[in-house]
Amino acid sequence: LAKTTQPISMDSYEGQEVNITCSHNNIATNDYITWYQQFPSQGPRFIIQGYKTKVTNEVASLFIPADRKSSTLSLPRVSLSDTAVYYCLVGDDANSGGYQKVTFGTGTKLQVIP
Amino acid sequence: DVKVTQSSRYLVKRTGEKVFLECVQDMDHENMFWYRQDPGLGLRLIYFSYDVKMKEKGDIPEGYSVSREKKERFSLILESASTNQTSMYLCASSTGVGYTFGSGTRLTVV
């Protein structure tokens, strides 16, 4: 299973764009990259998933270089409500016909400052 | 939307008690998971199940067991609760794109 490394914490001012980078040097061919957001006393919530290049949804963008050894979650114009822990996960798609023991790291604690 | 429901939001149990944590998902998902979350340690996988009556150990299965008699229900069992099992417990169900988590059960063992 690919291990991920991401910063422990980040601070940002409201209205700024925030980029959180995750390293996953041992990513396998079948692995997808998925990001989750977790607020205190809640379960993690799916944000975005990608395999290569760039993926964008209404919440965030995910940039994946050609070698796929890292990925960057981009949150445009953050607000105070974006203060949360963000997890980067790498693993086989959960519905690929098999199963996968996916490991969460400790995540990146993002603090948005007024 | 997929919904994962954990039966209790908060639980307080005594050392040595047998504790059942229940999780139900309302979609037809094969895969279900139990994690515990502790400060500074992130989420750690206890057990997971990819089919009815099937189970696999995660990273920290000691002191726990699970039951999956029906596809929608995945139970975590603490055979004899101990204080080091005080934690936030999170159940998840897998979709075609990522996992859906429940709101968690905060268990305190006294």
Side-chain angles (χ1 to χ4, degrees), chain A residues 34 36 38 40-46 49 87 89 92-95 98-106, chain B residues 9 31 33 35 37 40-43 45 48 50 56 58-59 88 90 94-99 101-103:
Chain A
T34 312
Y36 291 81
Q38 187 180 24
S41 301
Q42 294 185 25
R45 180 178 72 104
F46 170 88
Q49 185 182 76
Y87 295 93
L89 273 69
D92 201 353
D93 185 279
N95 200 32
Y99 61 92
Q100 176 119 70
K101 188 176 76 173
V102 175
T103 300
F104 284 74
T106 54
Chain B
R9 194 83 171 92
N31 302 330
F33 307 79
Y35 291 86
Q37 185 170 32
L41 297 177
L43 281 80
L45 181 63
F48 64 103
Y50 55 92
E56 292 285 340
D59 298 317
M88 169 71 90
L90 290 158
S94 67
T95 70
V97 182
Y99 295 77
F101 282 84
S103 297

Side-chain angles (χ1 to χ4, degrees), chain B residues 8 10-21 78 80-83 85-86 105-110:
Chain B
S8 302
Y10 298 94
L11 274 179
V12 179
K13 297 292 181 180
R14 295 193 180 278
T15 301
E17 276 194 78
K18 189 169 186 176
V19 181
F20 292 86
L21 302 183
L78 286 67
S80 178
S82 64
T83 54
Q85 292 178 310
T86 291
T105 297
R106 186 164 293 282
L107 172 68
T108 302
V109 182
V110 297

